[in-house]
């Protein structure tokens, strides 16, 4: 570690819970959070896409509306599920997380107004859909603005969680954009963005697989058509992940600690993703009558892939900060010892010092 | 404070938190905690009377609340947290270590609350008859209950920050949770939320029910009664709260001056609270007796009064806990009370990991005619002084914005040069002069360095950037040694070119 790598001392209070428990909270709820974020972002993008197609062919407009309607619940669940992992990351990675936040502070806090605006726009888009039919272009502009926000906000989070892993960069970063330019941020971002339509595609399959025949007919599609369409959205982006995923992996900065576990987790998820794609292509190619039969398998495989990604991600994070964390711990101990000594010395010198209550 | 220092030099760091927190309290109290029981009650009443007009009105009010709470409400809630962890990372970090499980439970309740409001709003039209309707009404009351529980948990953490009570000796979650200010504060906030919701609902009625419709008067009258019941309880809760605060305050200062200042605040609060309650009572009387004569703007009066009272209440709350962020444990500058003997002996810079580089604009304004070597030495000194300022003052003061240290000095010393001797003398005993301020944590040399920096600010009014803008410079062990021993900080000077280079980038 170079001499310009900062080694601050940590907050001198014990952890509130056993570490494995905090790690479990972090991984499990973060994955749930990110799935709903995927649904929210993917929903916004796909709703815009189909609304544009709907200009020519009315039934796509109805599909776009159906997708827009899902965002209302998904976005609220996404936000609320993010709070638990935030709590855990605050506790487990106090020094790392707060430092990264401060260094990108202006954008970090801008998350609050940006998300509010994005949410208000999605409400306008959904609840004024029919009222705004005469001003279509404005309605589309609203959706486009929401999409741009939804595309930008994850970048702020990614920049932060990336910067927190690399204490040797903390002294040279100046604001958000220089932190954004660190290697690996953009590949990870691409990896995330591709997951959005994939997850939303599966949501569509779930939505239309069992929907009453009459409602489906009203939309102007056949059930098999809609289910297949959902699967396609899940299939092609996932195929692209076979290229983007490895790029994101190989651009991860080198870390000193062994990363066998990381490679195992990502390797296994790679294999499972392959199986997932095989199942999906069989669904897509299969006859109309039986489409959707393997939806359970598909979801189970997707879940396994995502869970392994989460585990690999955590193991890498641990490997990246472990040596530094040991130094921070030593420094914190040393600091507490010195503070105690100085306090005793002061008490011995002049009784109870004025600034410390007896 | 061992984190890079986030700093807003115009709005002020506390300003950022205040804006977000005020919005949140407004939405949370007025539209969630207070409004959900009111909406559920209206739905229930309409169902019992078989009067669909109540149902329609309740749904419309709920929809407004839904739109605002799930956007502004939810995000400002997270925003309080994000902003506090930017401004006071050590305080929120410490609070989380103490209150992890309280926050965790809070979060589970919050998840429940969000799911319930989604369900309650989105099933309103579908579950509209028979058994489904009954279930829906239950859903409403469950939502009201969980909204209240989220507030009840958070209030405990707020109370803890003012007076940790037994936690100081026991350091357990429960001892922190059951702090002495908890119940009075809850007893104040609960009726406050109900009254706020009543006033807001009365304001909304005319938008949703036409003037000619006699139902408008009926609805106004009923909501007015609700508000009428809540208003005196607000006053009672406030009185109880203010009767326990002085005890907590004595823990914090025990200075006569503080008690004097507090007496003034208390007087102020009681006057405002009384005015608010009177305004509510008058408007409500009109609403009950002559609902059709009540102009819509009249409802703004009690609303603004409630905001004013709440704002004053929160400020007193903030005031009471100063100079601490966690009463008697941690000062608002981020240093623990226990750290003081060490820091006052060795200096804060001896334990600082980061330096806050001066930007080129901040380096301007040095006296004319200095040699290059003098300039460098002067800048090195100012750099150290700025680091002292950033670690010990910047959480509460800006350089030139809100609560600016320069404005205070100008008021105190006018245009005569702010020689370090002049200011250092004051800063040394600033906690006696202004009990909101913690004692200066650094050593004598740092007092002088800070003085030199403040003197420089007299002739330089460039904004002071935070780490989010200018980044940080990592202090190397040699530089730290130089800073601690007080040798001419040659290595710091060596660090300067790096500083300006990074600044120029």
């Amino acid at each position: 570690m170079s001499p310009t790598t900062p080694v601050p001392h940590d907050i001198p209070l014990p952890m509130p819970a056993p570490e494995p428990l905090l790690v479990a909270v972090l991984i499990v709820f973060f994955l749930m959070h990110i799935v709903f974020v995927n649904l929210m972002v993917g929903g916004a993008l796909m709703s815009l896409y189909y609304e544009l197609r709907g200009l020519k062919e009315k039934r796509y407009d109805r599909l776009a509306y159906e997708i827009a309607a899902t965002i209302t619940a998904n976005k609220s669940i996404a936000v609320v599920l993010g709070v638990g992992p935030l709590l855990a990351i605050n506790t487990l990675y106090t020094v790392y997380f707060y430092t990264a936040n401060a260094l990108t502070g202006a954008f970090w806090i801008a998350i609050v107004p940006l998300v509010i605006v994005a949410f208000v726009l999605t409400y306008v888009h959904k609840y004024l859909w029919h009222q705004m039919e005469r001003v279509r272009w404005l309605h589309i502009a609203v959706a486009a603005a929401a999409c741009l926000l939804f595309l930008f906000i994850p970048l702020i989070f990614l920049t932060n969680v990336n910067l927190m892993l690399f204490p040797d960069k903390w002294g040279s970063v100046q604001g958000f954009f220089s932190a954004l330019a660190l290697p690996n941020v953009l590949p990870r971002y691409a990896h995330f963005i591709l997951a959005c339509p994939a997850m939303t595609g599966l949501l569509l399959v779930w939505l239309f697989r069992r929907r009453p025949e009459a409602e489906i007919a009203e939309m102007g599609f056949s059930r098999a058509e809609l289910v297949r369409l959902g699967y396609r959205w899940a299939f092609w982006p996932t195929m692209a992940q076979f290229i983007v995923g490895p790029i994101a992996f190989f651009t991860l900065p080198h870390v000193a600690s062994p990363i066998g576990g990381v490679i195992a987790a990502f390797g296994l998820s790679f294999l499972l993703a392959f199986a997932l794609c095989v199942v999906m292509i069989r669904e897509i190619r299969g006859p109309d009558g039986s489409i959707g039969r393997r939806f359970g398998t598909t979801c189970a495989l997707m879940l396994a892939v995502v869970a392994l990604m989460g585990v690999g991600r955590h193991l890498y994070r641990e490997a990246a900060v472990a040596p530094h964390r040991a130094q921070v711990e030593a420094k914190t101990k040393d600091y507490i010892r010195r503070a105690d000594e100085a306090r005793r010395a002061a008490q011995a010198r002049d009784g109870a010092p004025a600034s410390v209550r007896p | 404070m061992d984190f890079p220092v986030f700093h807003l030099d115009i709005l002020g760091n506390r300003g950022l938190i205040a804006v977000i927190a005020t919005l949140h309290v407004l939405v949370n109290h007025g539209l969630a905690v207070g409004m959900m029981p009111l909406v559920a009650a209206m739905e229930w009443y309409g169902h019992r009377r078989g009067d669909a007009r109540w149902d329609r009105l309740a749904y419309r009010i709920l929809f407004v609340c839904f739109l605002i709470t799930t956007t502004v409400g939810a995000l400002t809630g997270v925003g309080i947290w994000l902003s506090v962890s930017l401004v006071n990372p050590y305080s929120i970090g410490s609070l989380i270590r103490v209150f992890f499980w309280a926050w965790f439970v809070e979060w589970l309740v919050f998840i429940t609350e969000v799911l319930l409001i989604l369900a309650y709003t989105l099933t309103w039209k579908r579950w509209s008859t028979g058994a489904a309707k009954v279930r829906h009404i239950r859903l409403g009351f469950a939502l009201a209950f969980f909204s209240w529980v989220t507030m009840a948990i958070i209030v405990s953490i707020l109370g803890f920050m003012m007076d940790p009570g037994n936690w100081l000796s026991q350091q357990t979650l429960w001892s922190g949770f059951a702090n002495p200010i908890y119940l009075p504060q809850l007893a104040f906030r609960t009726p406050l939320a109900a009254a706020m919701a009543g006033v807001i609902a009365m304001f909304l009625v005319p938008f949703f029910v036409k003037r000619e419709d006699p139902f408008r008067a009926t609805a106004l009258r009923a909501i007015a009664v609700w508000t009428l019941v809540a208003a005196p309880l607000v006053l009672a809760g406030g009185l109880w709260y203010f009767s326990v605060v002085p005890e907590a305050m004595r823990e914090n200062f025990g200075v006569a001056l503080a008690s004097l200042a507090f007496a003034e605040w208390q007087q102020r609060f009681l006057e405002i609270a009384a005015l608010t309650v009177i305004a509510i009572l008058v408007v409500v009387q009109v609403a009950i007796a002559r609902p059709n004569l009540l102009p819509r703007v009249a409802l703004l009066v009690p609303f603004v009064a409630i905001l004013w009272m709440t704002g004053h209440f929160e400020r007193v709350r903030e005031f009471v806990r100063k100079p601490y962020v966690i009463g008697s444990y941690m000062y608002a500058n981020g240093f623990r009370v226990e750290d003081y003997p060490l820091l006052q002996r060795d200096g804060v810079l001896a334990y600082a990991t980061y330096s806050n580089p001066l930007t080129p604009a901040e380096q301007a304004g040095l006296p004319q005619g200095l040699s290059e070597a003098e300039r460098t030495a002067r800048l090195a000194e100012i750099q150290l002084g700025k680091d002292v300022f950033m670690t010990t003052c910047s959480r509460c003061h800006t350089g030139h914005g809100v609560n600016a240290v320069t404005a205070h000095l100008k008021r105190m010393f006018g245009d005569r040069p702010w020689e370090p001797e002049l200011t250092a003398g004051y800063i040394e005993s600033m906690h006696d002069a202004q009990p909101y301020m913690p004692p200066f944590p650094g050593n004598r040399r740092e007092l002088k360095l800070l003085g030199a920096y403040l003197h420089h600010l007299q002739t330089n009014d460039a904004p002071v950037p935070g780490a989010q803008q200018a980044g940080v410079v990592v202090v190397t062990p040699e530089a730290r040694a130089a800073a601690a021993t007080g040798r001419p900080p040659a290595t710091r000077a060596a660090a300067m070119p790096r500083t300006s280079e990074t600044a120029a980038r």
Side-chain angles (χ1 to χ4, degrees), chain B residues 30-276:
Chain B
L31 297 179
V33 178
M35 194 69 96
M36 289 308 121
L38 180 56
V39 168
M42 282 161 65
E43 189 192 10
W44 167 79
Y45 188 70
H47 180 65
R48 209 188 67 159
R49 300 279 303 262
D51 187 342
R53 294 174 306 176
W54 282 107
D55 206 85
R56 254 196 317 272
L57 178 63
Y59 179 70
R60 286 180 173 165
I61 293 179
L62 173 68
F63 192 66
V64 171
C65 295
F66 173 78
L67 294 183
I68 298 176
T69 54
T70 55
T71 54
V72 181
L75 268 301
T76 49
V78 181
I80 294 182
W81 194 351
L82 297 188
S83 61
V84 175
S85 49
L86 281 178
V87 171
N88 289 338
Y90 39 81
S91 86
I92 190 96
S94 304
L95 286 170
I96 288 178
R97 300 245 173 136
V98 178
F99 279 110
F100 182 83
W101 292 112
W103 251 311
F104 193 79
V105 172
E106 161 86 357
W107 175 53
L108 298 181
V109 176
F110 179 42
I111 295 180
T112 316
E113 187 190 342
V114 169
L115 294 179
L116 282 173
I117 194 168
L118 286 170
Y120 190 52
T121 313
L122 301 177
T123 60
W124 192 295
K125 303 240 160 99
R126 240 177 303 149
W127 296 3
S128 56
T129 49
K133 186 67 181 171
V134 175
R135 205 162 358 125
H136 190 261
I137 293 172
R138 291 216 188 106
L139 205 58
F141 284 108
L143 168 61
F145 175 71
F146 280 101
S147 306
W148 180 80
V149 173
T150 39
M151 180 182 82
I153 297 176
I154 275 298
V155 163
S156 145
I157 297 172
L158 293 178
F160 172 83
M161 291 170 77
M162 294 156 72
D163 179 6
N166 290 334
W167 178 80
L168 287 174
S169 49
Q170 297 172 4
Q171 303 226 339
T172 59
L173 170 67
W174 182 250
S175 61
F177 196 81
N179 60 74
I181 304 190
Y182 179 57
L183 283 181
Q185 206 185 146
L186 196 58
F188 171 72
R189 284 186 194 266
T190 305
L192 176 73
M196 256 171 145
V199 173
I200 295 173
M202 279 157 67
F203 184 76
L204 290 177
V205 167
F207 289 97
F208 297 141
V209 187
K210 289 206 185 64
R211 182 177 275 279
E212 313 80 65
D213 190 341
F215 179 63
R216 189 176 188 174
T218 319
L220 271 178
R221 206 174 275 144
I223 300 171
V225 170
W226 163 281
T227 317
L228 192 64
V229 173
L233 295 177
V234 174
L235 202 56
L239 282 174
W240 185 16
Y241 176 76
F242 273 87
S243 70
V244 297
V245 162
E247 200 48 50
M249 294 260 302
R250 255 192 286 288
E251 301 270 309
N252 286 12
F253 324 104
V255 189
L257 186 75
S259 327
L260 209 78
F262 176 70
E264 233 170 78
W265 283 86
Q266 184 180 25
Q267 190 61 32
R268 241 353 245 305
F269 175 80
L270 290 180
E271 284 164 16
I272 297 176
L275 263 179
T276 307

Side-chain angles (χ1 to χ4, degrees), chain A residues 3-18 21-22 25 29 72-77 79-88 90-91 94-96 98-99 101-106 108-109 111-112 115-116 119-120 123 126-127 167 170-176 178 331 335-336 338-343 345-346 353 355-357, chain B residues 2-6 16 20 63 66-67 70-72 74-76 78-79 81-83 85-86 89-90 92-98 100-101 103-104 107-108 110-111 114-115 118 122 167-168 171 251 324 328-329 331 335-346 351 353-354 439 467-477 480 498 502-503 505:
Chain A
T4 53
T5 300
V7 183
H9 58 262
D10 196 359
I11 289 171
L13 285 171
M15 282 286 156
L21 196 68
L22 294 173
V25 170
F29 288 105
T72 309
N74 288 340
K75 64 122 187 46
S76 281
I77 297 172
V79 168
V80 73
L81 285 180
V83 173
L86 189 63
L87 192 58
N90 269 274
T91 320
T94 310
V95 166
Y96 303 90
Y98 289 155
T99 303
N101 293 353
L103 289 172
T104 58
W108 181 244
I109 197 64
I111 286 173
V112 175
V115 175
I116 291 178
F119 282 7
V120 169
Y123 279 151
K126 173 181 164 185
Y127 288 110
W170 294 347
S172 55
V173 160
Q174 278 191 311
F176 172 73
S178 73
K331 180 125 177 206
Y335 180 81
I336 296 176
R338 284 169 189 248
D340 287 346
E341 260 171 33
R343 198 169 57 250
S355 52
V356 183
R357 289 190 314 131
Chain B
D2 214 12
F3 295 100
V5 183
F6 172 88
L16 175 71
I20 297 177
F63 192 66
F66 173 78
L67 294 183
T70 55
T71 54
V72 181
L75 268 301
T76 49
V78 181
W81 194 351
L82 297 188
S83 61
S85 49
L86 281 178
Y90 39 81
I92 190 96
S94 304
L95 286 170
I96 288 178
R97 300 245 173 136
V98 178
F100 182 83
W101 292 112
W103 251 311
F104 193 79
W107 175 53
L108 298 181
F110 179 42
I111 295 180
V114 169
L115 294 179
L118 286 170
L122 301 177
W167 178 80
L168 287 174
Q171 303 226 339
E251 301 270 309
Y324 299 105
S328 304
Y329 174 74
Y331 286 119
F335 294 112
R336 295 179 309 158
V337 176
E338 295 183 2
D339 295 332
Y340 263 61
L342 177 71
L343 299 175
Q344 289 182 329
R345 186 187 74 196
D346 299 352
Y351 300 99
T353 305
Y354 307 100
Q468 78 275 20
Q469 222 175 320
V472 288
V473 170
V474 178
V475 180
T476 59
R480 187 174 300 124
R498 192 151 56 90
T502 37
R505 241 197 302 126

Side-chain angles (χ1 to χ4, degrees), chain A residues 5-65:
Chain A
T5 300
V7 183
H9 58 262
D10 196 359
I11 289 171
L13 285 171
M15 282 286 156
E19 199 177 312
L21 196 68
L22 294 173
V23 171
V25 170
L26 180 59
I27 297 184
V28 173
F29 288 105
F30 177 73
L31 286 178
M32 288 168 67
H33 163 69
I34 218 66
V35 165
F36 280 93
V37 172
N38 282 330
L39 295 178
M40 166 183 99
V41 176
L45 294 172
M46 283 160 63
S47 174
L48 173 62
Y49 172 75
Y50 283 118
E51 187 175 358
L52 288 172
R53 284 192 70 174
L55 293 175
K56 292 226 181 71
E57 207 175 332
K58 189 70 189 161
R59 60 181 190 153
Y60 283 113
D61 191 65
R62 286 191 285 268
L63 176 60
Y65 180 75

